[in-house]
Amino acid sequence: MRVLVVEDEPEMADLLRRALVEEGYAVDVAHTGDGGFQHAITVDYEVIVLDVLLPSGSGFEVCAWLRRRGVWTPVLMLTARDAVADRVRGLDGGADDYLTKPFSLAELLARIRALARRGGVERPSVLCAGDLRLDPATRQVWRADTQVELTAKEFGLLESFLRHPDAVLSREVLLRRCWDFTAETYSNVVDVHVRALRDKIDRPFGVTSLETVRGAGYRLRADGGRPTGHAVTPGRTR
Ligand code: CA
């Protein structure tokens, strides 16, 4: 079993390393948040022990970076004090368990064994097309590094497209997936919402990703869109 310890205080890091080696684990130690992240995306660990207070990237940030990268290695977060806010933030951010300093080595080892048994639990992964990303768990959407605010309907449409990149989805299929039967639907409701979606995910970024396929429906390009050469701020004209 291979364990990564991310802890900047040399004495604590050494204590953890020795205790884990004594248990028969292979142990790597990183002393910064960024260093820990680099280790965690290159090596397959059974468990990551992650301190909250670290230079260059807090434990919270490292955990969020890993989950966003699709790395689901169980994370045991070490919080400096018994702060409820820290524990909630850690667990919300994708940590699997936490331990408050000071802790007993016996408890640390028991928690690590429990996490290793459980293994990495995959949350709904982020859907991507090129630099367009949608996270079904947090309901967030990004174009490259820019977060895009969508209405619930636009979000549902984009999720449908991202689950079927490059496929032509007819207006009927989109209606069935994104509108319930009781909703008052008018003939061009899909077109209206697709246009609104384009105004948010394409036009401001100077790309075309949502293509109209005449007589058939719409298609989202799997490459995330081709450049149109100019970015247009969303507005009334089109
Ligand atoms: Ca620390």
Side-chain angles (χ1 to χ4, degrees), residues 199-229:
D199 280 351
K200 292 183 178 175
I201 63 166
D202 280 357
R203 286 162 61 87
F205 304 94
V207 294
T208 301
S209 68
L210 264 176
E211 298 177 333
T212 305
V213 182
R214 280 243 301 235
Y218 296 100
R219 169 174 59 206
L220 178 79
R221 295 171 60 102
D223 63 7
R226 63 185 167 77
T228 54

Side-chain angles (χ1 to χ4, degrees), residues 123-129 132-142 150-167 169 173-174 177-179 193-194 197 201 209-210 219-221:
R123 281 77 160 181
S125 54
V126 173
L127 304 171
C128 296
L132 188 60
R133 291 181 294 130
L134 177 149
D135 186 341
T138 62
R139 300 192 69 79
Q140 289 175 319
V141 172
W142 298 270
L150 299 182
T151 65
K153 201 58 80 184
E154 291 157 2
F155 186 92
L157 274 175
L158 182 59
E159 186 172 2
S160 291
F161 282 118
L162 280 168
R163 289 193 186 279
H164 306 88
D166 273 345
L169 301 184
V173 163
L174 292 168
R177 291 217 180 114
C178 305
W179 276 265
H193 282 86
V194 166
L197 186 55
I201 63 166
S209 68
L210 264 176
R219 169 174 59 206
L220 178 79
R221 295 171 60 102

Side-chain angles (χ1 to χ4, degrees), residues 63-64 67 72-75 77 89-97 123:
C63 195
R67 298 326 188 206
W72 300 106
T73 311
V75 167
M77 200 86 101
R89 198 171 157 205
L91 295 172
D92 270 354
D96 299 88
D97 199 1
R123 281 77 160 181

Side-chain angles (χ1 to χ4, degrees), residues 71-202:
V71 176
W72 300 106
T73 311
V75 167
L76 175 61
M77 200 86 101
L78 301 182
T79 62
R81 57 198 178 280
D82 195 4
V84 175
D86 271 9
R87 300 200 308 256
V88 170
R89 198 171 157 205
L91 295 172
D92 270 354
D96 299 88
D97 199 1
Y98 64 87
L99 207 50
T100 305
K101 289 179 179 175
F103 49 81
S104 78
L105 281 176
E107 183 170 13
L108 174 87
L109 295 172
R111 300 283 183 102
I112 288 176
R113 282 193 297 272
L115 285 178
R117 272 199 303 275
R118 199 200 300 178
V121 180
E122 192 165 336
R123 281 77 160 181
S125 54
V126 173
L127 304 171
C128 296
D131 64 358
L132 188 60
R133 291 181 294 130
L134 177 149
D135 186 341
T138 62
R139 300 192 69 79
Q140 289 175 319
V141 172
W142 298 270
R143 171 67 89 176
D145 291 328
T146 309
Q147 195 174 342
V148 181
E149 298 293 334
L150 299 182
T151 65
K153 201 58 80 184
E154 291 157 2
F155 186 92
L157 274 175
L158 182 59
E159 186 172 2
S160 291
F161 282 118
L162 280 168
R163 289 193 186 279
H164 306 88
D166 273 345
V168 178
L169 301 184
S170 69
R171 288 172 179 79
E172 292 70 32
V173 163
L174 292 168
L175 267 178
R176 256 206 319 278
R177 291 217 180 114
C178 305
W179 276 265
D180 58 65
F181 293 113
T182 58
E184 197 182 336
T185 54
Y186 42 101
S187 62
N188 66 341
V189 64
V190 173
D191 308 82
V192 169
H193 282 86
V194 166
R195 272 208 299 275
L197 186 55
R198 277 182 180 143
D199 280 351
K200 292 183 178 175
I201 63 166
D202 280 357

